[in-house]
Amino acid sequence: MLMLLFPVLSFAQLSNDYEPLQPTGKIPTDITTRSSEKYQAAKEGLEKGTRSRQAKEKFLLESNFLIDQVLHSGRVLFNDPVSKYLNEVLDEVLKDNFELRKQIRVYAVKSSTVNSFTTDDGIILVNIGLIAQLENEAQLAFVLCHEIAHYTEKHVINAYVQREELKEGEAIKRTSFDSKLLEQSQYSKDLEQEADKLGLNRFLNTSYSSKSLANVFEVMRYAHLPFDDIPFDRGYFNSAFYKIHQSYYLNNVRSVEALSDLDASSTHPSPTARKQILLTELATEPDKGSDYIIGEPRFNEVRNICRFELTLSSVLFSCTTSRIKRSFVS
């Protein structure tokens, strides 16, 4: 009864106080431009006569159509409160590099996955699942600095070319849309660590504080957990007329555990290893910055929006699943 009651109460509260995120205003050209036009424009920028040109052309063909599937999925937001805030933080990060700022566009994505992704042509997609887990604005700025490094160093296309060379023409079976997108965002350990290092260098030139950056990697390790670990007020559901009996509560609960780090054979560096490298780099760096520049109230507002959005999506999914099950039973 308790598990059924909580989603209903949560949904009622959200439906009264919260309006779901929606894209508004003028649709960006990233979405309206045809995939074929993007492909042709990108192909013209490739060096002629290079050994890797064929692999790069294949990458551009696949990635442009694949990224457009994401952009047209209805999950990518623009001119909404979260995307606007992302752009404000990006403005701060790149305030001394106007030319680079013109090249990069950032959008929020309705996804619970704790992740961000960069395209070869300068689009940064930040999942609301990631924003919902971060502790402050400085951590978000560091994430953006990391993604900027992937773009400036052409990691996406270079990683693809490396994989193609390793495959030696062997066909790859991709079973789902998500697996295709995941393959586009897989980097080698060297490229990922380079993005961490270059991203940190850029970050240290901002006015943000670096003291909480190591916790970004802890967010990755605990991404499977709820947003915050706080004591539950047992009196929440109680009233003068109804009380939940003590026997319904557990006396002991399992301790919180982090996700296991990837093994040594993985092409992706583990969060623990990345955290240690970051701490080593920061050991000699003085910290004179701030956790917030746009502002703590604004960050908390945007993070709460992301959390409400994820909660609402979860409730709606549960209700829809329940209706489907009932229809099959009847």
Side-chain angles (χ1 to χ4, degrees):
M1 183 65 178
L2 179 62
M3 294 181 67
L4 293 174
L5 179 63
F6 183 70
V8 173
L9 291 175
S10 298
F11 179 74
Q13 184 178 11
L14 288 175
S15 64
N16 290 332
D17 302 331
Y18 176 71
E19 294 184 5
L21 286 173
Q22 294 182 359
T24 62
K26 185 178 179 181
I27 302 175
T29 56
D30 285 321
I31 297 177
T32 58
T33 305
R34 294 182 187 179
S35 303
S36 57
E37 293 179 24
K38 295 178 183 178
Y39 168 63
Q40 291 298 332
K43 191 171 72 168
E44 291 175 3
L46 294 178
E47 283 186 62
K48 296 182 179 179
T50 59
R51 180 183 175 185
S52 61
R53 181 181 173 88
Q54 184 176 1
K56 289 183 177 180
E57 285 188 8
K58 182 181 177 183
F59 163 81
L60 293 174
L61 182 63
E62 290 185 7
S63 65
N64 275 287
F65 282 88
L66 177 59
I67 296 304
D68 275 0
Q69 287 183 48
V70 177
L71 294 174
H72 300 159
S73 67
R75 293 184 290 175
V76 175
L77 301 163
F78 51 87
N79 300 322
D80 63 287
V82 179
S83 293
K84 288 180 179 178
Y85 178 66
L86 287 171
N87 276 279
E88 289 179 39
V89 177
L90 187 61
D91 288 340
E92 178 63 31
V93 167
L94 294 178
K95 64 181 180 181
D96 296 325
N97 196 331
F98 180 69
E99 287 302 315
L100 181 57
R101 179 63 183 96
K102 288 195 301 182
Q103 298 173 37
I104 297 180
R105 296 86 69 205
V106 59
Y107 304 102
V109 182
K110 282 189 176 185
S111 172
S112 61
T113 306
V114 179
N115 194 24
S116 55
F117 172 66
T118 305
T119 70
D120 187 65
D121 66 344
I123 296 175
I124 297 177
L125 302 174
V126 182
N127 291 348
I128 61 173
L130 172 59
I131 302 171
Q133 298 278 11
L134 294 177
E135 297 173 338
N136 54 50
E137 186 178 299
Q139 291 179 352
L140 178 57
F142 175 66
V143 169
L144 293 177
C145 288
H146 175 93
E147 297 301 334
I148 291 169
H150 280 315
Y151 167 69
T152 58
E153 304 308 306
K154 296 296 180 183
H155 283 171
V156 185
I157 191 168
N158 290 339
Y160 179 90
V161 171
Q162 287 179 6
R163 290 194 301 271
E164 288 298 301
E165 291 174 349
L166 291 174
K167 291 173 191 173
E168 295 181 350
E170 181 182 352
I172 296 297
K173 294 181 179 179
R174 302 183 181 92
T175 58
S176 69
F177 170 79
D178 287 336
S179 65
K180 291 180 182 180
L181 184 58
L182 180 62
E183 182 175 334
Q184 294 288 327
S185 61
Q186 291 297 299
Y187 307 107
S188 68
K189 287 182 180 180
D190 290 340
L191 294 183
E192 195 64 45
Q193 289 171 353
E194 182 181 23
D196 282 342
K197 182 176 181 180
L198 295 177
L200 179 61
N201 290 341
R202 183 179 299 279
F203 178 90
L204 292 175
N205 288 321
T206 71
S207 300
Y208 284 107
S209 168
S210 61
K211 64 178 180 290
S212 67
L213 294 191
N215 286 351
V216 173
F217 301 108
E218 293 301 296
V219 167
M220 298 178 188
R221 298 180 67 227
Y222 291 94
H224 58 298
L225 297 177
F227 311 128
D228 285 316
D229 183 17
I230 58 176
F232 174 68
D233 180 10
R234 295 187 177 187
Y236 181 85
F237 294 107
N238 295 336
S239 69
F241 307 101
Y242 178 82
K243 289 186 178 181
I244 298 175
H245 193 271
Q246 184 69 24
S247 61
Y248 284 95
Y249 295 100
L250 295 175
N251 293 323
N252 298 297
V253 295
R254 190 174 64 182
S255 60
V256 172
E257 296 179 355
L259 289 173
S260 299
D261 282 332
L262 300 178
D263 58 50
S265 62
S266 172
T267 60
H268 214 65
S270 72
T272 301
R274 294 170 67 185
K275 176 182 176 180
Q276 189 55 52
I277 293 173
L278 178 77
L279 290 173
T280 301
E281 294 285 340
L282 289 176
T284 57
E285 293 289 342
D287 181 25
K288 299 179 181 179
S290 171
D291 286 337
Y292 303 94
I293 295 178
I294 308 303
E296 184 174 2
R298 184 73 180 285
F299 171 80
N300 289 334
E301 176 189 6
V302 168
R303 185 177 63 177
N304 283 338
I305 288 174
C306 293
R307 292 179 173 184
F308 287 153
E309 188 71 30
L310 294 173
T311 304
L312 179 60
S313 299
S314 176
V315 172
L316 291 176
F317 176 78
S318 298
C319 293
T320 302
T321 303
S322 178
R323 286 196 297 269
I324 292 173
K325 287 181 178 179
R326 288 199 300 271
S327 67
F328 276 113
V329 171
S330 58

